[in-house]
Amino acid sequence: MTEIKASTGPRYARILSVGSATPSRVIDNEYLLQFIDSSDEWITQRTGIRERRWIDEGESIETLSLEAARTAIERSGVPVDQIDAVILSTISHYHQTPALAPKLADALGIPDAAAYDISAACAGFSYGLAQAEGMVRSGQARHVLVIAGETISEITDLTDRGTAFLFGDGAGAVVVGPSETNGIGPVVWGSDGSQSGAIWQTKGWQEAVAEGTWPRLGMDGRAVFKWATSFIAQAAKKAMDEAGITPDQLDVFIPHQANDRITDTLLRYLKLPESVVVARTIRQLGNNSAATIPMAMDALLSSGEAKSGQTALIIGFGAGLVYAGQVITLP
Ligand code: UT7
């Protein structure tokens, strides 16, 4: 049998840098009350959300993704010709083909990168990070740019009491590259397609065209809440176990920002010490789907609440249903 050379790479990978972008339009809870029978008090108490940001004219998934990616690349100091792959995680790029990642790579001046989009909803950043880590360590790419960009406001049904207040737009990006020490723990990920009806796009292309109406996002909030507070709590614990980390070794916890009450339940289950810094960006940014975790990471690092080199647990979960989480070293 003819021997085929295998790709080989560095032993370890880490996140070298992070960047994020938020759109300009601030939407407070009060604004939404013209569309749904609710109250600022209910939304704040049941979710933690006080406001979120939505795109305005001139802003799009493309502009937000580019802004986040430019910041991440600049902070990494990695020349663009050393980025061999660009992954965009999104569920709100409304062209099935071509993927947006090649266009973003071109706009960023990254020559000849492998570039593709992935659809793993709110777990999308951790899915992309797992792929990037594998690509770097196997030698398939020297550096990987992982972007997560979402404009869920465009598919939000403003009259739906169950979702109208939840989502915000935004983007986050990281550059993943080789490292002397390990900065990305084993990914714990999976899916439960039997719950594909828990969060869904209300119609496919054929139906939308036939009816002449735009699809929206639907959600069985209670079912997702139950799954997140039971199964996802166990998955988060598994990510720590697989990385060989105990709660007292953790500095920062960045769970998907779906609901402050879900975060509280995860904290109780994981028994994290009081000293652990916990992301609560949902209060100002809402749920940014795939972009949530890198946006929260950047916010915590920029505010000084978290520091470079600290150990963080990240976990995302959402439509699919899908989930993914890792222990990481903060860039
Ligand atoms: O990123 C994807 C992952 N998504 C998630 O993780 C979302 C998980 N789910 C949730 O965060 C929560 O289920 C929601 C925030 C979406 C809803 O909160 P909830 O506590 O599960 O509300 P519920 O549907 O169980 O309804 C409780 C009560 C009901 O009233 P009664 O029957 O107790 O009198 C609802 O009619 O709250 C009422 N209600 C509202 N009241 C004011 C439901 N929606 C609203 C509303 N404003 N928007």
Side-chain angles (χ1 to χ4, degrees):
M1 207 191 302
T2 308
E3 190 184 329
I4 300 171
K5 232 169 109 183
S7 55
T8 53
R11 184 151 185 215
Y12 299 124
R14 71 180 171 98
I15 299 175
L16 301 175
S17 61
V18 62
S20 66
T22 45
S24 54
R25 199 168 155 222
V26 179
I27 304 289
D28 60 15
N29 292 340
E30 211 58 47
Y31 172 83
L32 297 168
L33 304 184
Q34 60 187 303
F35 308 108
I36 49 169
D37 175 19
S38 188
S39 66
D40 175 40
E41 194 189 5
W42 189 93
I43 298 170
T44 308
Q45 281 180 2
R46 303 302 284 184
T47 68
I49 304 171
R50 295 192 174 89
E51 58 188 37
R52 72 287 291 142
R53 285 171 173 243
W54 289 355
I55 50 169
D56 211 338
E57 239 170 84
E59 294 173 325
S60 66
I61 184 169
E62 210 168 314
T63 65
L64 295 172
S65 298
L66 283 175
E67 189 186 330
R70 282 196 180 105
T71 307
I73 293 170
E74 196 186 306
R75 288 177 178 167
S76 74
V78 173
V80 285
D81 62 2
Q82 287 183 25
I83 297 174
D84 295 325
V86 176
I87 300 170
L88 173 71
S89 199
T90 185
I91 55 162
S92 44
H93 174 236
Y94 308 113
H95 291 262
Q96 204 153 348
T97 198
L100 185 55
K103 198 174 173 197
L104 296 176
D106 180 57
L108 293 163
I110 303 172
D112 197 26
Y116 59 98
D117 297 355
I118 56 175
S119 170
C122 307
F125 175 72
S126 277
Y127 265 67
L129 184 63
Q131 293 187 357
E133 184 247 359
M135 288 157 94
V136 169
R137 295 211 303 127
S138 66
Q140 289 174 348
R142 288 167 297 172
H143 298 89
V144 182
L145 173 66
V146 181
I147 310 168
E150 300 283 18
T151 48
I152 306 281
S153 67
E154 294 185 302
I155 48 167
T156 295
D157 178 355
L158 281 176
T159 63
D160 177 8
R161 272 178 114 208
T163 56
F165 52 86
L166 270 184
F167 296 96
D169 301 335
V174 296
V175 175
V176 177
S179 174
E180 294 289 309
T181 52
N182 191 32
I184 304 173
V187 66
V188 169
W189 56 355
S191 66
D192 178 3
S194 74
Q195 297 203 64
S196 58
I199 309 174
W200 70 99
Q201 186 177 309
T202 51
K203 54 190 83 170
W205 295 122
Q206 282 167 320
E207 230 181 315
V209 168
E211 291 174 13
T213 50
W214 187 239
R216 302 288 176 190
L217 199 73
M219 182 173 71
D220 178 349
R222 277 186 209 193
V224 183
F225 194 99
K226 207 170 137 206
W227 178 72
T229 49
S230 53
F231 185 80
I232 294 305
Q234 294 165 35
K237 165 103 180 40
K238 198 169 164 205
M240 283 205 289
D241 290 346
E242 298 217 348
I245 296 288
T246 50
D248 57 301
Q249 291 174 299
L250 204 67
D251 302 303
V252 180
F253 180 39
I254 311 178
H256 174 49
Q257 300 290 289
N259 189 318
D260 253 354
R261 289 187 297 134
I262 293 178
T263 299
D264 292 339
T265 310
L266 294 178
L267 280 171
R268 279 196 297 276
Y269 178 86
L270 295 169
K271 300 187 174 56
L272 300 186
E274 293 265 310
S275 58
V276 171
V277 171
V278 180
R280 299 281 187 181
T281 45
I282 191 167
R283 294 173 184 176
Q284 268 69 47
L285 299 174
N287 174 345
N288 306 103
S289 187
T292 303
I293 291 174
M295 287 174 77
M297 196 189 303
D298 193 23
L300 289 176
L301 287 165
S302 301
S303 69
E305 288 168 90
K307 306 249 176 321
S308 171
Q310 285 186 323
T311 304
L313 168 66
I314 62 175
I315 187 147
F317 52 87
L321 294 173
V322 294
Y323 69 94
Q326 299 98 330
V327 171
I328 57 164
T329 304
L330 290 175

